[in-house]
Amino acid sequence: MNHLKLEREGAVVTVRLHRPHVLNALNSALLAELLDVLVPLDADPDVGCVVVTGSERAFAAGADIREMAGKSAVEMAAEDYFAAWEDFADLRTPKIRTRVAAPLGPHPLLVEALHSRLVEAGWRTRMTDSERRTSAVVLAAAGSRDPDSAVDTRRTAQLLAERLGVPVVPAYATTAGPTVPTAIRALTARGRHRIAVASYFTAPGRFATECAEAAPWIASAPLGPHEAMARLVLHRYDQALAAPASTAPELASA
């Protein structure tokens, strides 16, 4: 095989695209080789799952444009250049039993981690009434178009507010609103001048950095490997393990 690498572990076969010089761009030779490998695997009763994947840099850069560059639209149609992909789609899809854990939040353990990171950043657990009246927190999250995600973030903000005894406003780095600077301005207009930004990110990155830089007072570190986070992950894992398994298709690209 010139363009593929195979690995087998029990009933699981991993087929790895291997055209590193063109980021695994898909040409007719690779496709033909892929079908030559997948068709027998498709018929093998001892194969329970086939994973088609790429390299660390890319799964596949798309169609190999160089191969099509010299062809006209008429030639492409006459050759039915993409017909082989229909054969690929016709392969059976092995099924495996899977369980998907629930999202981490909202949960008291997540609030515990958020609170702990704020305290590490300088949040005072004991405040005078005057300090409390002028304090607030912006819960900085990534943002999502999924309505359920926004509901979960608002619920987490509510739980954190109950823990801290000050208003906590959810804000987002992208996609949703308000943004972190907008939330800060709104709180300032309400007389809240001691505003902390609580990072709702699991790891450092661009969004976490930009949200922290907007903080007028203190900003907590991302949640990271906090003990409460580890306990929460294990809790969600245990919940998923106890739930009935579902059957899901597993001819996957990674």
Side-chain angles (χ1 to χ4, degrees), residues 14-254:
T14 300
V15 180
R16 192 176 303 278
L17 308 184
H18 186 63
R19 297 188 73 210
H21 59 293
V22 289
L23 295 179
N24 300 327
L26 305 173
N27 63 3
S28 54
L30 184 149
L31 178 56
E33 192 172 314
L34 188 60
L35 287 172
D36 286 344
V37 168
L38 291 180
V39 169
L41 291 174
D42 189 52
D44 188 341
D46 294 326
V47 174
C49 173
V50 177
V51 179
V52 180
T53 186
S55 63
E56 292 182 0
R57 293 186 62 197
F59 167 60
D64 193 335
I65 302 300
R66 291 182 302 178
E67 186 176 57
M68 297 184 286
K71 301 179 185 293
S72 67
V74 174
E75 289 173 326
M76 291 288 291
E79 293 178 14
D80 203 0
Y81 185 79
F82 299 103
W85 288 109
E86 296 178 7
D87 297 330
F88 181 87
D90 287 340
L91 296 173
R92 72 183 178 92
T93 306
K95 298 181 182 297
I96 61 173
R97 293 170 63 82
T98 61
R99 292 177 174 87
V100 179
L104 293 179
H107 194 276
L109 285 171
L110 188 54
V111 173
E112 181 180 330
L114 287 165
H115 180 268
S116 177
R117 292 298 190 217
L118 280 169
V119 171
E120 290 172 3
W123 183 270
R124 287 191 287 190
T125 56
R126 294 183 179 180
M127 294 183 181
T128 65
D129 290 342
S130 176
E131 288 173 331
R132 198 171 298 281
R133 284 194 297 269
T134 58
S135 298
V137 172
V138 172
L139 181 62
S144 171
R145 291 185 176 89
D146 184 351
D148 290 339
S149 175
V151 170
D152 289 348
T153 303
R154 288 196 295 270
R155 177 57 180 156
T156 298
Q158 181 183 357
L159 292 172
L160 184 59
E162 293 171 0
R163 176 74 179 267
L164 296 173
V166 302
V168 177
V169 177
Y172 304 94
T174 184
T175 306
T179 64
V180 171
T182 299
I184 290 171
R185 287 194 295 270
L187 287 168
T188 302
R190 290 160 50 188
R192 304 280 174 170
H193 303 292
R194 289 164 45 87
I195 302 172
V197 172
S199 178
Y200 201 25
F201 303 97
T202 56
R206 174 187 167 188
F207 288 161
T209 300
E210 290 178 351
C211 290
E213 288 174 348
W217 179 33
I218 59 173
S220 65
L223 296 165
H226 192 279
E227 180 185 353
M229 289 292 288
R231 289 161 54 201
L232 179 54
V233 170
L234 289 174
H235 172 65
R236 293 301 192 207
Y237 171 81
D238 289 339
Q239 283 183 322
L241 205 61
S246 61
T247 302
E250 191 62 19
L251 181 58
S253 61

